Amino acid sequence: MSQAAEGVNPDAHDALVEEFGMHVGRAMGWPPMAGRAAGLLMLSEKPMTLAELQDTLDASKGSVSEMTRLLMDNGTVERSKEAGQRHFVYRWRDDAWVGCLQHIVASTTQLRELAEHAQVLGAGMTAVQQQRLSDMQEYYHFMVGRLETLLSEYTAARESHRTQP
């Protein structure tokens, strides 16, 4: 399976890709293949084609396509087509952690909007139901605010760190 860079222990590389499959997949609620693809792309120093990902992960085209789409949707991987090339390539975004946090903010914002809409629709429901809908709205308002602040702080810290000598 190894796509380790020259001079890198291929066993350590492969073990880390497998660790990503197990831990990232579980933590994110993803299939292990998505975690393995994330680990592989994060450790790859060059973009990889779908065929290279398939071969390295020993997975079907459909599975790899689905996993790369998941990783793109979650803000960590990008797809591009280099000039003069026939195939798309996938690579770990330089700002993957910003992209990941942006995805979390966007997802949580969608849930806040649902909570606001649910509270309007639930206006005629019982006091218990209305309280639960109100709690949901309060929670998502809180979370979106905190996540937006966290994204802003992380982005600023990242930029500051990159501009320091």
Side-chain angles (χ1 to χ4, degrees):
M1 166 170 65
S2 186
Q3 283 280 331
E6 190 174 319
V8 173
N9 178 346
D11 291 335
H13 176 275
D14 293 351
L16 192 51
V17 169
E18 291 303 318
E19 288 280 322
F20 266 71
M22 186 176 0
H23 296 288
V24 173
R26 186 180 311 134
M28 298 297 291
W30 297 346
M33 182 63 69
R36 290 177 63 220
L40 181 61
L41 287 166
M42 186 184 355
L43 296 173
S44 179
E45 295 183 13
K46 65 175 187 63
M48 298 179 73
T49 65
L50 196 61
E52 289 171 326
L53 287 164
Q54 281 177 251
D55 184 51
T56 305
L57 294 168
D58 191 28
S60 70
K61 181 177 182 178
S63 177
V64 172
S65 180
E66 186 178 332
M67 296 310 111
T68 54
R69 187 172 30 259
L70 176 69
L71 295 172
M72 289 186 299
D73 289 347
N74 279 271
T76 57
V77 169
E78 62 189 6
R79 179 180 86 162
S80 63
K81 190 181 280 188
E82 296 173 351
Q85 297 297 313
R86 281 185 36 192
H87 301 287
F88 284 104
V89 292
Y90 300 85
R91 72 176 201 83
W92 190 256
R93 286 176 45 173
D94 292 337
D95 65 345
W97 305 115
V98 171
C100 186
L101 192 48
Q102 287 169 332
H103 171 73
I104 293 168
V105 171
S107 297
T108 307
T109 299
Q110 288 177 345
L111 291 170
R112 181 190 65 192
E113 291 166 1
L114 168 65
E116 292 167 351
H117 184 66
Q119 194 165 22
V120 170
L121 290 177
M125 293 185 171
T126 69
V128 169
Q129 292 168 326
Q130 286 182 12
Q131 183 60 52
R132 289 176 181 166
L133 293 172
S134 178
D135 290 347
M136 179 183 177
Q137 184 182 26
E138 181 182 320
Y139 171 79
Y140 282 111
H141 271 278
F142 174 83
M143 290 302 292
V144 168
R146 294 298 184 179
L147 288 168
E148 287 173 340
T149 299
L150 186 62
L151 176 59
S152 177
E153 290 173 358
Y154 178 73
T155 303
R158 185 174 183 270
E159 287 304 313
S160 175
H161 176 73
R162 288 182 176 253
T163 58
Q164 291 179 357

